[in-house]
Amino acid sequence: MKVLSVASEMFPMLKTGGLADVAGALPGALAPLGVQVRTLLPGHPKVLAALDAGAKVVAEWPLWFGGPARLLAGAAAGLDLLVLDAPHLHDRAGNPYLDANGRDWPDNAQRYAALAHAAARIGWGELKTWKPDVLHVHDWQGALVPAYLHYLGNGGNGGKKQPATVLTIHNLAFQGQFNAAVWPQLGLPDEAFSMHGLEYFGDVGFLKAGIQFADAITTVSPTYAHEIRTHRDGMGMDAMLRWRQAAVSGIVNGIDTEVWNPATDALLPARYGAQDLAPRLANKREIEKRFGLTADDSSPLICMISRLTEQKGIDLVAQHIDAIVATGARLAILGSGDAGLEAALRAGAQTHPQRVALRIGYDEPLSHLLQGGSDAILVPSRFEPCGLTQLYGLRYGCVPIVARVGGLADTVIDANDAALKAGVGTGIQFADVTAEGLLEALRRAVQLFRHQPADWLRIQRNGMAADVGWRSSAAEYAALYARLVAKESHK
Ligand code: ADP
């Protein structure tokens, strides 16, 4: 099975979000299952710099809207890459999507159309030496690939079999919608600018095109796959997704269980395993020291590691700091984002200096310490395609307290009475992302922590035993590819 993954970013070369982690982890997880993955990336300076010395030019494909472009094949960080090297599109340092002022690059439509078109050419066999069975494209940046295959495939490939296509949606909030003025730059026939093609309320919709034409549409958890088909969470795409219902499924993300392993994590002052959680106390003391919180072993130390946005429910926390402190919990918050939310949290921390502390910034080592020493991690998101911090929490015995949405609902088992009796709870969920829902969840956490230490320990250990790696999710992707290829060969 040969798969071309088409992504706009990939860990460890270039990362702005979870897409990069998935693109970086899946090839390694799929290899033992007999799936060979090559990844097509744009030639961002960081990607070109990471390519090893053996990289070769395998095609020269000047762009139809002008400018040279070539395709490089090589490896970086042990990953098998194809890189679209079109300097006028991608030779820009910094964030791949935004200019120095934080605005979308004005030619983003052309930039990712060029990437998708190159993927389609590889897909219909122009490389001669390597032709994928499946094109697995990610988010709006890859979403034109199924459209190019649909409209140009038969012309370009002399009638050869098309590869199957999978579109993975990592966050439906980003849809790649552009003014119709970009249309002539996309190299598609005019008939494609219609309701049944790429047109979306008068604009050009890249993600819409992918939803329209991909053979399979996945997102990063089963619950999010359901939610995006509802009016409430569908962000204007729900009707399309309902129409493609039979093609939609959810596969949860895994985490790197080597990087995130409390038994070997060099970023922790004290390492530990599920058998003996006592060393976590030394980590907690270090957090209290670094955050300036008073040690109080009757009060659970609850961390948050998050972008500070409304999606993540940070406003709710900021507005109810007094009530949160009144539950008996202490808060250590690490994050950055919305300036207003930062200010509101800072004010809360000033009111409760012993009980609430805030660190603004992005600090990977500190995030490990927080997972390795806090009693719990709070994730009150309004929507959450998959979420990673609750998975790290499970692995580190840092009990996740989560809103019952998206991937949070799928990866945490609520430790209600029945679950406690059955010995299966791994965290605490709350259904309503409201002050009352949040406070009730915190009260339950404080009660369990303070008065039911055996149950608390059981919850921690259940979480640490949960399967949060990539193995089972990779098997689901492999099974999906196999189903699509079998279907394609019967066409
Ligand atoms: P999203 O991708 O929506 O921001 P996820 O939970 O899927 O949310 O992934 C967020 C990732 O970023 C996690 O790996 C988390 O640990 C990390 N992270 C978020 N904020 C910070 C921060 N301030 N410092 C360190 N790591 C952070």
Side-chain angles (χ1 to χ4, degrees):
M1 174 77 69
K2 296 194 290 273
V3 176
L4 180 69
S5 170
V6 182
S8 52
E9 53 183 276
M10 187 182 205
F11 184 83
M13 286 78 75
L14 180 63
K15 170 171 168 172
T16 71
L19 152 65
D21 290 318
V22 176
L26 260 184
L30 282 164
L33 304 172
V35 180
Q36 182 207 18
V37 182
R38 300 184 88 176
T39 306
L40 175 67
L41 292 173
H44 187 279
K46 284 189 181 164
V47 172
L48 293 173
L51 272 181
D52 64 15
K56 286 195 193 59
V57 178
V58 291
E60 305 264 2
W61 287 341
L63 296 165
W64 66 92
F65 49 76
R70 50 187 202 160
L71 196 66
L72 308 173
L79 297 157
D80 187 359
L81 301 185
L82 292 166
V83 178
L84 181 67
D85 181 25
H88 60 303
L89 298 183
H90 300 297
D91 185 14
R92 300 172 196 177
N95 184 297
Y97 317 117
L98 309 173
D99 67 16
N101 299 315
R103 278 191 291 266
D104 290 340
W105 289 110
D107 57 351
N108 271 351
Q110 291 94 317
R111 297 172 75 218
Y112 293 103
L115 184 75
H117 192 252
R121 294 180 75 165
I122 298 166
W124 62 60
E126 284 194 42
L127 274 191
K128 305 278 192 296
T129 49
W130 190 81
K131 181 174 184 294
D133 304 299
V134 176
L135 291 176
H136 184 169
V137 308
H138 297 275
D139 277 348
W140 70 263
Q141 292 90 343
L144 280 199
V145 174
Y148 282 123
L149 288 174
H150 178 84
Y151 288 107
L152 307 180
N154 290 327
N157 75 356
K160 273 193 229 132
K161 232 176 53 183
Q162 299 263 13
T165 51
V166 178
L167 166 68
T168 295
I169 299 171
H170 297 266
N171 188 337
L172 191 60
F174 304 108
Q175 302 185 347
Q177 212 166 309
F178 299 95
N179 188 285
V182 306
W183 182 255
Q185 304 287 310
L186 302 184
L188 284 161
D190 279 344
E191 78 203 54
F193 190 63
S194 79
M195 194 178 90
H196 300 294
L198 284 81
E199 187 270 342
Y200 186 67
F201 292 104
D203 287 339
V204 179
F206 276 37
L207 191 69
K208 186 229 168 179
I211 292 171
Q212 181 95 16
F213 296 117
D215 295 310
I217 300 159
T218 71
T219 183
V220 288
S221 69
T223 295
Y224 192 59
H226 168 77
E227 289 166 345
I228 60 177
R229 279 174 276 161
T230 65
H231 179 65
R232 202 191 76 163
D233 294 318
M235 298 187 160
M237 291 286 158
D238 48 300
M240 286 280 304
L241 287 160
R242 283 195 295 279
W243 175 64
R244 293 296 326 271
Q245 176 113 286
V248 178
S249 65
I251 300 176
V252 290
N253 290 338
I255 61 171
D256 186 329
T257 50
E258 278 169 34
V259 172
W260 291 92
N261 180 354
T264 57
D265 191 335
L267 296 167
L268 298 181
R271 286 169 277 283
Y272 58 93
Q275 285 316 306
D276 181 14
L277 290 164
R280 296 185 95 255
L281 189 61
N283 298 334
K284 178 147 74 172
R285 290 286 109 88
E286 179 67 18
I287 298 170
E288 288 163 346
K289 200 170 93 197
R290 305 238 319 241
F291 278 79
L293 293 164
T294 308
D296 173 0
D297 290 334
S298 71
S299 161
L301 177 61
I302 300 178
C303 72
M304 299 181 74
I305 303 161
S306 184
R307 291 186 287 120
L308 303 179
T309 65
E310 282 193 20
Q311 178 202 331
K312 300 289 182 180
I314 304 299
D315 51 315
L316 202 61
V317 173
Q319 281 157 19
H320 299 282
I321 287 283
D322 296 348
I324 289 170
V325 169
T327 66
R330 292 174 297 154
L331 283 183
I333 304 168
L334 168 63
S336 63
D338 185 283
L341 293 175
E342 282 182 17
L345 288 174
R346 196 175 289 117
Q350 275 160 4
T351 314
H352 304 279
Q354 318 293 320
R355 319 286 298 174
V356 178
L358 174 67
R359 286 290 167 279
I360 296 294
Y362 189 97
D363 189 335
E364 190 86 25
L366 188 56
S367 76
H368 283 244
L369 176 65
L370 285 167
Q371 298 278 11
S374 305
D375 298 298
I377 179 161
L378 177 62
V379 194
S381 305
R382 293 201 166 79
F383 73 92
E384 194 61 79
C386 179
L388 291 175
T389 59
Q390 85 280 12
L391 300 178
Y392 303 141
L394 290 170
R395 178 115 173 113
Y396 276 58
C398 181
V399 174
I401 303 172
V402 303
R404 189 178 297 148
V405 297
L408 302 173
D410 293 328
T411 56
V412 175
I413 301 171
D414 183 56
N416 53 39
D417 288 344
L420 282 176
K421 277 207 190 82
V424 296
T426 60
I428 292 173
Q429 293 191 342
F430 54 101
D432 298 322
V433 186
T434 59
E436 211 25 66
L438 170 68
L439 293 170
E440 183 52 30
L442 292 174
R443 282 184 213 112
R444 279 174 63 203
V446 172
Q447 160 71 24
L448 280 163
F449 179 81
R450 219 175 247 170
H451 303 296
Q452 296 167 247
D455 286 332
W456 186 263
L457 182 61
R458 186 69 196 260
I459 295 168
Q460 287 180 295
R461 287 195 169 136
N462 288 345
M464 294 178 83
D467 178 13
V468 291
W470 271 105
R471 202 180 326 180
S472 56
S473 299
E476 287 186 56
Y477 280 111
L480 173 65
Y481 300 152
R483 278 200 303 280
L484 294 174
V485 169
K487 216 155 119 194
E488 199 68 32
S489 67
H490 285 108
K491 267 188 191 165

